[in-house]
Amino acid sequence: MPEIAQLLQTINRWFGHTTDCLASPVSAPTCHAFWELVIYGSAGVGLALLLWAAWKLIDYLAQIFAARRAQWEHERVADKATMRQYVWDDDKYTTDEVTDPKLAEKIRKELELRRLHNMESGSRSSGPVTSRRS
């Protein structure tokens, strides 16, 4: 275990040197290396934080610009007057009568199957039902 003892002794010396340098004035000649290390380490951490913040800001601005560009493209391609032409008009398609008798009979059978299935299951919802077609 001499390696662990040496490591603990080295850490104890570093701790002692750090406390001595913190207690003495900054201009003490024995602490120049310590204060250089503190300054360079602080500058490195500060620079890393600054670069991270700049990266996040640039990423955020790029997302904002992409969203605006998509909105501008949407407004250019699909203006309100054009989009009103392609809106689903429910009344237009549900008020027409079915003219084909075979199609009307098929619809009636499907509706009857759904009604029977809903009565059997005790459910009043009109969810998707698979019909038995032969």
Side-chain angles (χ1 to χ4, degrees):
M1 294 281 198
E3 295 88 19
I4 295 177
Q6 284 179 335
L7 181 64
L8 289 175
Q9 189 178 15
T10 304
I11 291 173
N12 195 13
R13 277 194 229 132
W14 284 347
F15 183 73
H17 184 65
T18 302
T19 55
D20 289 344
C21 287
L22 290 174
S24 63
V26 178
S27 61
T30 58
C31 296
H32 282 296
F34 171 77
W35 289 115
E36 277 184 11
L37 183 64
V38 168
I39 289 171
Y40 290 142
S42 300
V45 168
L47 183 63
L49 288 175
L50 184 67
L51 289 174
W52 176 79
W55 177 261
K56 287 294 185 181
L57 178 66
I58 290 170
D59 184 46
Y60 180 71
L61 291 175
Q63 288 178 1
I64 288 175
F65 183 71
R68 285 185 182 169
R69 185 175 44 210
Q71 183 179 3
W72 293 332
E73 185 66 18
H74 181 271
E75 289 172 356
R76 184 184 68 81
V77 171
D79 60 339
K80 291 184 180 190
T82 304
M83 292 309 291
R84 265 191 236 114
Q85 296 174 359
Y86 300 102
V87 172
W88 177 265
D89 186 11
D90 196 35
D91 294 333
K92 179 179 175 184
Y93 296 105
T94 56
T95 58
D96 295 340
E97 293 293 323
V98 179
T99 56
D100 185 14
K102 289 182 182 180
L103 180 61
E105 183 62 30
K106 189 175 178 181
I107 292 172
R108 273 190 226 97
K109 284 182 183 179
E110 184 68 29
L111 289 174
E112 184 63 25
L113 280 174
R114 286 185 185 206
R115 187 182 66 77
L116 289 174
H117 178 72
N118 287 341
M119 287 175 63
E120 288 172 1
S121 65
S123 171
R124 293 180 182 230
S125 66
S126 60
V129 177
T130 57
S131 61
R132 298 176 194 99
R133 296 182 182 153
S134 48

